[in-house]
Amino acid sequence: MGSNCGLREPDGLARLNWIADDLDSDTTETDASDPRVIDVTGLSMTMTAQGADHTVGNLPRCDCVDKILDHLDEKRVDRLVLCAAADSLGRCTFGRSVTSEPIDFRVNTLNDAFGPSLVSVPFVDIGKRTLHREQDADRAAGFSVSDDALPTFFSADALEPAYRTARFYAAEVDVSPTRWAS
């Protein structure tokens, strides 16, 4: 819950958040993960079923205004691959897009916990393989590019105060040359 739920009183928001917590429901909402604000997030949301805000590789500080797809895609792919690797190993780190912890830190943490001998390059490969396998599984299950589309309201309803809408669609993102950063 947050700015988009229309509450003006902090106490009302706190009460609703307490109820949601009691029901074990996630209330995270932030404009920084809205694809109308951050185009890179929208690109990632059309490419993967990972969590829409923090695990998908959100880049809240990315200047997306008037940038073309290929430029934004370059920024998105590296983050998406690292997030896929971390998530597939049970290392989802909320706030990663803010702290941007180095790969070595992630690898060392996993080595300390589990004892494998991971190194940075295979860690990235784990992310790429995860994304390829996710796509293969989606296609085998009958999902197509049309299923990757963002909900219509992202492109139809402008988000205040910038009055922006999502600019990119699944079909054009699906054929992007840097889709998974081979």
Side-chain angles (χ1 to χ4, degrees):
M1 281 183 231
S3 59
N4 289 329
C5 66
L7 294 175
R8 302 281 183 240
E9 297 296 323
D11 290 342
L13 180 60
R15 279 191 297 279
L16 287 176
N17 191 54
W18 184 87
I19 291 168
D21 286 348
D22 192 46
L23 296 171
D24 197 27
S25 177
D26 184 6
T27 60
T28 302
E29 179 202 354
T30 173
D31 289 345
S33 63
D34 192 304
R36 295 170 289 185
V37 177
I38 305 295
D39 293 317
V40 174
T41 302
L43 296 175
S44 293
M45 288 168 69
T46 64
M47 303 297 289
T48 178
Q50 293 176 341
D53 52 1
H54 57 100
T55 62
V56 79
N58 188 22
L59 291 167
R61 294 188 193 107
C62 183
D63 177 16
C64 300
V65 176
D66 298 325
K67 301 292 191 290
I68 63 170
L69 175 61
D70 289 344
H71 174 80
L72 295 173
D73 220 25
E74 289 173 16
K75 295 183 175 298
R76 172 197 61 83
V77 166
D78 287 341
R79 182 60 58 97
L80 184 61
V81 167
L82 292 177
C83 289
D87 291 349
S88 70
L89 295 169
R91 183 77 173 74
C92 170
T93 316
F94 185 76
R96 177 178 34 239
S97 51
V98 175
T99 60
S100 204
E101 62 198 26
I103 292 175
D104 290 342
F105 174 79
R106 296 178 193 182
V107 171
N108 290 338
T109 301
L110 289 165
N111 286 341
D112 290 346
F114 303 108
S117 297
L118 292 174
V119 295
S120 296
V121 174
F123 185 80
V124 171
D125 290 342
I126 289 169
K128 290 178 183 179
R129 285 194 311 259
T130 298
L131 293 169
H132 282 289
R133 288 178 179 161
E134 179 185 274
Q135 180 185 20
D136 292 345
D138 286 350
R139 298 307 177 239
F143 293 110
S144 68
V145 174
S146 63
D147 296 305
D148 293 337
L150 292 172
T152 306
F153 76 88
F154 283 123
S155 57
D157 301 335
L159 183 66
E160 296 181 26
Y163 297 98
R164 295 189 62 215
T165 59
R167 299 186 297 139
F168 302 104
Y169 297 89
E172 65 187 314
V173 174
D174 192 59
V175 297
S176 173
T178 55
R179 181 173 171 91
W180 298 128
S182 309

